[in-house]
Amino acid sequence: MQNLVIVESPSKAKTIEKYLGEGYKVVSSKGHICDLGLSGKERMGIDIENNFTPKYKVPKEKQEIVDELKALNDRSEHVILASDPDREGEAIAWHLARELGLDMNDENRVTFHEITKPVVTESITHPHKIDMNLVQSQETRRMLDRIIGFKLSRLLRKKISSKSAGRVQSVALHLIVLREYEIRKFVSEEYWTIEADVKKGRSVFQAALSKYQGSKPKLKNEEETNQLLDSFKGKPFVVSSISKRKSKKAPKLPFTTSTLQQEASKKLGYGAKKTMSVAQKLYEGVNVAGSMTGLISYMRTDSTRLSPLFVNDAEAYIDKTFGSEFKGVAHEKNKANAQDAHEACRVTNIEYTPEYVKPYLSSEEFRLYSLIYARTLASLMADAVYDVTSVKFNCGEGEFSASGQTMVFEGYTKVYAKYENQKETILPELTEGEVLPEKDVRIEGSQHFTEPPARYTEARLIRELEEKSIGRPSTYASIIDTLQARGYVLLAKASEGSKTKVFTPTEQGMLTDEKLQEFFNSIINVEYTANMEKALDIIAEGQEDYVKYLKEFYGDFEPLVEKAYDEMPVRELERVGRQCPECGGDLVYRIGRFGKFISCINFPECKYSENADSELQSLSQEEKLCPNCGAKMVIKKGRFGAFWACSNYPECKTILPLKEKAKPKPTGEKCPECGADLVERVSRYGKPFIGCSNYPKCHYIKKEPKADKKSANAKAETAAETDNSTPAAGV
């Protein structure tokens, strides 16, 4: 074996090996092979007294992979480290070099920003050294997360029974809690608006009252509104001015990680975690017409830059497919703190249209690829152009305004229209000084109430985190996942019938935030966390010593932890008012993964528990014995609801549904196939039907007779002839 190439993903390994051909063996490390151990003071895996030296360990589940890589290394002439092109990938390359005993001065590191044959074969010829500045930045982030996470989590578990806290997750929780406080404090106020419904010919449009006696009216109640409405009665409705202009709408920039997550959430209903998972598959490679190829460039990016080579190909495609007038220019606008390590998330081959690759993709992959393809192509197309008409009307001392918009050139919307709300409002032909007949103008007032600020959707929260420079876009999916897993927030529909899901903090989430703000508000806040990200960027550029930064942080953080241990009161568990039936101790309320429940105060010595729900409490008083071992059964609650479970678990794993299903009602008929009773049933979709009671042994379902069209028509004609009030043609 001449060259051993190590990447992170197994599927990526298969794709790259085909591109490189003979002389190369490509294998996967399956992500990180090392992490901080659980040794030393407070089991943090960091020697704080010895300049914050990290103590890395190969996890048990990764030892076999490391052994295999070592064996392959011994049989190879040269090792190439090709993990992902970001800080995490650089750290993985460094850990691999350490474990395999490679020379750190060797130029054995390559990066692929897209998994296509031209890029892979070109990149492999330009290896470089491992960037230790990037490695140290990743190490600093990991140690900060470990120090803050371990120390705060232990404190909160001991004091208020919260499961964890984190450098970024706790700031994200704080944003959600702050929004909840804003909503609870909000006092809705009444206000009114006045609109004129205007008809001319077949056109109907609306003109809003924009000024009264020269200033914008502020109507607080119905009485004030009626006074203005009375002033318009009998007054002519006159066209006072008409202005026309051209308006251009520019395409959005190509996707970054954050904007991809936001747009996939709004347009496809994908959560951040799902978006990144599907995008990873598109990046690593898909079998298209018998050839493995990466369909998108690296999706963890904060840049909107596109490579000149891709831009040239895309411009030629636009010219050929739509015409030269549809060609735009490449724009990029990166934030001040953007790393810009690699270009925007785009498709790798503009000729691979969604329709062409659809047979090779799953439904989820196709929908996300279509969005990325449309955004990539649209970003290089011309502006959409509209004719905008603004009309003002005078009525007494009031001025009303109406506007219309019609598209005159599609531009980028030719490919992106399905992902944008396109509205055209066409006004009829009007002339200045024209008086509209009184009968064609109806002026009315409308009552409104101010709305509280909206709760965060996934897309809104991601946008807020990015705008405030909290964390990195590649971490947003895991942050959101952790907040839900810890029971701090719920992501549920905003209201009955709504499709939009929003975050609401739980009681435990609000308590956690309250205590963190009380004792750690100088660190768990937006500004401090954003500055920490800037510091990590500076370390990545080699402009700050990471040990010095960690020492300064720890010097500020450790005294706060000590003060919290001394002054934060232990939360008293709320008593139920009953004794534990097993040991006689007080029963108390606790917060678990699935909400509130009741357990013994002597936990973990006594493991008795029951549900806090009143209906379930009454059910739990039933004496129910396990049909397998005879032990008492208790009510437990899982992710799919409550159920009966054997108290002898784990020796006996019997579970039963909470309530027995109602027995099917007999119809009085017999099954023509097996002779058993036919009964009324309901399908999984809620549709009633009649089936055999001997199911699943007998699958007979009684079919409803189909209506005879000729017979139905004959009956309809007869009914029409005997009922003069119903015309035959209308039956």
Side-chain angles (χ1 to χ4, degrees), residues 252-255 259 263 371-379 416:
K252 293 182 173 68
L253 295 168
F255 280 132
T259 55
E263 203 73 352
L371 176 63
I372 297 171
Y373 184 94
R375 181 68 163 245
T376 304
L377 189 59
S379 72
Y416 208 69

Side-chain angles (χ1 to χ4, degrees), residues 623-635:
E623 189 68 27
K624 197 174 187 71
L625 301 179
C626 176
N628 287 339
C629 70
K632 183 181 176 183
M633 298 202 80
V634 294
I635 293 178

Side-chain angles (χ1 to χ4, degrees), residues 706-722:
K706 291 184 179 179
D708 184 348
K709 288 185 179 180
K710 290 183 179 178
S711 174
N713 288 338
K715 287 180 181 178
E717 288 173 8
T718 304
E721 289 170 2
T722 56

Side-chain angles (χ1 to χ4, degrees), residues 637-686:
K637 198 170 184 182
R639 60 186 298 187
F640 300 113
F643 59 91
W644 287 106
C646 181
S647 60
N648 200 23
Y649 179 88
E651 285 73 22
C652 179
K653 297 180 180 178
T654 302
I655 61 171
L656 297 171
L658 200 63
K659 295 179 181 179
E660 293 185 9
K661 293 182 179 179
K663 292 183 178 179
K665 183 180 177 183
T667 63
E669 301 174 81
K670 297 292 182 181
C671 175
E673 293 185 5
C674 71
D677 289 337
L678 291 181
V679 293
E680 295 177 1
R681 293 185 180 277
V682 178
S683 74
R684 60 187 291 189
Y685 303 109

Side-chain angles (χ1 to χ4, degrees), residues 455-580:
R455 290 187 173 92
Y456 288 110
T457 60
E458 270 203 54
R460 282 197 210 112
L461 182 61
I462 289 170
R463 186 176 64 210
E464 188 84 354
L465 292 172
E466 185 186 34
E467 287 177 353
K468 295 184 182 301
S469 300
I470 300 169
R472 282 293 171 195
S474 58
T475 66
Y476 294 158
S478 61
I479 291 168
I480 289 169
D481 206 37
T482 301
L483 288 176
Q484 294 177 80
R486 298 292 183 265
Y488 294 158
V489 300
L490 298 173
L491 182 60
K493 290 180 180 177
S495 59
E496 191 70 32
S498 171
K499 291 183 180 180
T500 305
K501 290 185 177 182
V502 295
F503 288 107
T504 306
T506 62
E507 179 184 333
Q508 193 68 19
M510 296 188 81
L511 174 66
T512 303
D513 179 69
E514 177 189 329
K515 293 304 176 186
L516 287 173
Q517 292 305 306
E518 183 178 348
F519 291 92
F520 298 95
N521 67 328
S522 62
I523 286 176
I524 305 298
N525 66 61
V526 170
E527 186 178 356
Y528 189 91
T529 307
N531 288 335
M532 193 175 279
E533 292 296 338
K534 291 177 185 175
L536 292 171
D537 290 343
I538 294 170
I539 292 168
E541 293 164 3
Q543 296 178 14
E544 182 167 348
D545 179 62
Y546 78 101
V547 175
K548 179 186 174 186
Y549 178 77
L550 284 168
K551 284 181 177 179
E552 290 175 355
F553 160 76
Y554 198 77
D556 294 334
F557 179 66
E558 184 61 14
L560 297 178
V561 176
E562 292 173 0
K563 184 173 185 288
Y565 268 106
D566 291 339
E567 298 180 12
M568 187 186 293
V570 176
R571 182 190 185 192
E572 285 292 327
L573 295 170
E574 182 185 351
R575 262 57 172 182
V576 175
R578 291 187 284 116
Q579 271 65 51
C580 173

Side-chain angles (χ1 to χ4, degrees), residues 38-50:
L38 296 172
S39 60
K41 187 178 178 181
E42 298 184 86
R43 301 181 76 240
M44 282 198 292
I46 304 169
D47 188 348
I48 293 172
E49 285 75 21
N50 187 22

